[in-house]
Amino acid sequence: MSRWVVGALVLIMVVAGLARPPIAAAEVPPSRPQWWNRGQIPLYSTSSPSGETARMPDGSVRTYRVFSGSPGYLAEIDTFSAKVLRMLPLFVPDPDSTEVPADKGAQGAWGVSVDRHGNVFASSYGYGHVYRLPWGAAELEDLGRPTQYASFTWEGDVDDDGNFYLGTTEGFAPPPLPGGRLLAWNAETRSFRDYGDFGGRYGYVRSVEYAEGKIYAGLGQSAGLWQVDPATGKRVEIPLPKGMPTDKYAYQLEDEAGYLYVMFAGGTSPSTGWVLNLRTLKWAYEIPGYAGQTITAADSRGRVYLIDSTELKRFDPRTGTLTGTGYRGGDEQADKGGLGAGKGLGRFADPTTGHETIVGGGAGGDLWRYDTVTKTGVLAQIDGLVGTPTAPRSLAKGPDGRIYGGGYFQGGFVAYDPATTKWTEYKFPHQIEGMGSHNGKLYLGIYANAELWEYDPAQPFADGTNPKKLFDLKKEGQERPWTVVSAGKYVAIGTSPKNTQLNGAVTLYDPATGERRTWNSGLVSGANQISALTYRDGILYGGSLGCCNPADGSKHRGQVFALDAATGAVKWTSTPLADEDGVAGLTFDGQGRLFGQSYGTVFEIDPADGSLLRSKKYFDYPWPTISGFQPRAVNMSFDPGDGAIYTTSGTTRRIDPDTLNDLGPNYRCSFADTSPGASKFYVQNGLLLEVKWY
């Protein structure tokens, strides 16, 4: 997760403030387009980024998992029956709150912790609130937003007195964004103590652990680890393991029996685990395949169970020895890649057999148990889970004429058929940032690591094979594929860099040969993302976004460049608008004129050299105050059917290319498909709006 999540949320709120609702169908004059509400986009998922399993004060074993949604919810689960006991939405309305932005419910939580008294804490994302479920209580307590600007509260931990330690990302602050902060909620005073940040380069206090009387804070987007005294606030920086790349997060922390287990993730190199001796503060062992997210309690010899290389293994910190169990979730789960990051791992006696049993779960709606006596395991879907609505993230017309949508964070993939007005839902747990059609296939740009997947709508949907992953751009330092377009014989992808990198990239992929080329320098000046692409006569034209660069906090004007697709030569780079920090849309009209859009301004430039020919501003956009921008909020294309340019910027827009006038009408929207055809499709508060323009 990154500041771009925060940026998308901020942009949606800005858009909502600018736009007006569509007028009722009965009020539409005959000269105006027809429109239809095609209903809620059926994106649902059961996706859980966090969880913990604990023995409760009454002796029962409970697993607490937060499932993402709008809002997300905390599920209390009977661990050994895998049955949901109750589900509590992460939203407690407070009409007296003066928070800005106002809380509308958490989208999920990266951290769940249970103290020895049975109190459950959930540190959430979306609006940065912390929630507490006291043991025996019927309702959640909302502890509020711990700082004015906290948008994310990350993985935390509790001490023996019920005090909760956590970190933040301050995504609601004006740019440049400050560093993430370390905090503690005091169980007696019921207030937060602020231990401060660790400097602007650490936008994330990503994981916090309380161990042997000290707080340990894992930082990102540059890797860092600190020990903090909870009473005095005194800090001790712990040097990273020798050779550890700094472009990582100290992503997850767990302590047991005098050792701190740290997963370093992100950046351009593979994630890895390290074990820190808490007595000496020296690194003892590396576990390259360590997947996190939790480990079990230690046995009498200090040994713990954890997930390593998709398998449940026992680790002995005295010798550094890993002993495999062979359990990867059963045959079916092993065929799917084995066990992923372990949510809520624990070691308990099975109440039926008395055998030592290791329990845990994955990111979906499953729980598994492994009997260390019989050396057998079982994986089951949690009984009673409810799928939560997933916010739409992307929209595009496929080569089969259907309208495809992707969901935010927990993924999802749906198709709407305009001919039948029917929806088809697919199980696809990947976040699609951008989509584009090319030669009968639909190409999906996936976060994280800028993956490209290929989907053939003429063939049956099959998990893992259709769609299929083609490649990722992690080694090239890329993260989000904002734009995917057809470019002659190529599929062209424009991406954002990872939070530790400065330059976005353009990638050209040839499906016929499998060849791909990537340019992540020399396209534009300054830190950037590639936010728009269009193609004509062998030349790929790209737009950059320079407003929101987490690696260095810098801001740059939006630029346009022309790249020869055959040779890779950059023919020119220009800055068409002197006061706009992004170019989020590009398109050619039927006369070969090149048009672009920042957010509130549309312009025409000369395709020969990028010089500005004319522009028209529809509204001012406060680029200096923007710390995150979602390029997919602009969806720009020319339609030869009526000779107009269709685009979006908080509302629908129909532009006359001769005058640059917005012909309207303007309906509220976020993501859209504006490809040629009389009907365009728009996302409006989770609904699909079809507008027939001509």
Side-chain angles (χ1 to χ4, degrees), residues 56-299:
M56 309 309 288
D58 65 356
S60 64
V61 178
R62 296 283 183 264
T63 295
Y64 291 89
R65 299 271 296 275
V66 168
F67 288 86
S68 302
S70 300
Y73 64 86
L74 175 69
E76 181 181 25
I77 303 159
D78 184 301
T79 306
F80 282 92
S81 70
K83 290 184 177 180
V84 173
L85 301 176
R86 53 179 172 162
M87 295 174 289
L88 302 169
L90 295 182
F91 181 48
V92 180
D94 180 4
D96 298 324
S97 174
T98 59
E99 291 179 349
V100 179
D103 173 44
K104 296 181 181 179
Q107 277 92 48
W110 279 101
V112 175
S113 300
V114 184
D115 69 17
R116 66 187 182 93
H117 307 291
N119 303 309
V120 183
F121 293 82
S123 40
S124 74
Y125 62 84
Y127 294 95
H129 279 224
V130 179
Y131 299 88
R132 180 175 182 260
L133 178 64
W135 169 246
E139 298 179 347
L140 281 172
E141 297 177 345
D142 183 354
L143 305 184
R145 186 179 295 159
T147 67
Q148 178 183 1
Y149 297 126
S151 53
F152 279 64
T153 51
W154 296 102
E155 185 177 29
D157 196 20
V158 288
D159 65 17
D160 289 341
D161 296 321
N163 303 311
F164 181 56
Y165 304 91
L166 70 151
T168 73
T169 291
E170 302 290 297
F172 291 135
L177 290 183
R181 307 186 78 82
L182 175 67
L183 299 117
W185 182 82
N186 186 282
E188 289 188 5
T189 65
R190 297 184 62 82
S191 61
F192 287 98
R193 174 181 176 179
D194 189 346
Y195 290 93
D197 65 24
F198 294 82
R201 66 182 297 213
Y202 300 111
Y204 302 71
V205 178
R206 178 58 182 78
S207 187
V208 175
E209 191 76 1
Y210 180 86
E212 301 187 0
K214 302 293 185 182
I215 310 168
Y216 291 85
L219 311 179
Q221 64 272 15
S222 296
L225 181 64
W226 290 75
Q227 181 197 76
V228 180
D229 187 288
T232 66
K234 180 182 177 181
R235 300 178 179 184
V236 176
E237 185 174 10
I238 299 171
L240 298 177
K242 186 177 181 180
M244 171 65 64
T246 59
D247 66 335
K248 286 185 177 298
Y249 300 72
Y251 199 75
Q252 291 166 352
L253 309 180
E254 282 283 293
D255 81 287
E256 278 296 331
Y259 292 89
L260 186 70
Y261 295 75
V262 185
M263 187 173 83
F264 293 98
T268 59
S269 56
S271 63
T272 188
W274 278 86
V275 182
L276 180 76
N277 186 314
L278 291 175
R279 183 178 59 84
T280 64
L281 296 187
K282 302 296 183 183
W283 297 101
Y285 306 103
E286 183 179 11
I287 309 176
Y290 177 53
Q293 177 177 7
T294 55
I295 62 177
T296 70
D299 64 15

Side-chain angles (χ1 to χ4, degrees), residues 352-411:
T352 301
T353 65
H355 293 175
E356 180 188 62
T357 302
I358 310 304
V359 301
D366 62 79
L367 279 179
W368 49 260
R369 303 189 302 276
Y370 176 77
D371 187 318
T372 64
V373 177
T374 64
K375 303 188 185 309
T376 58
V378 60
L379 183 146
Q381 294 302 303
I382 300 171
D383 183 8
L385 280 183
V386 174
T388 52
T390 298
R393 183 69 170 179
S394 52
L395 200 74
K397 183 182 290 185
D400 56 350
R402 296 194 297 171
I403 308 302
Y404 289 87
Y408 167 64
F409 181 53
Q410 58 265 56

Side-chain angles (χ1 to χ4, degrees), residues 661-674:
N661 289 335
D662 180 3
L663 305 176
N666 303 119
Y667 306 118
R668 289 182 298 123
C669 68
S670 51
F671 310 119
D673 170 73
T674 58

Side-chain angles (χ1 to χ4, degrees), residues 52 117 149 178 324 378 387 391 498 517 575:
E52 185 158 324
H117 307 291
Y149 297 126
V378 60
K498 287 183 171 292
R517 295 169 291 157
T575 305

Side-chain angles (χ1 to χ4, degrees), residues 10 350 426:
V10 172
D350 187 303
Y426 303 103

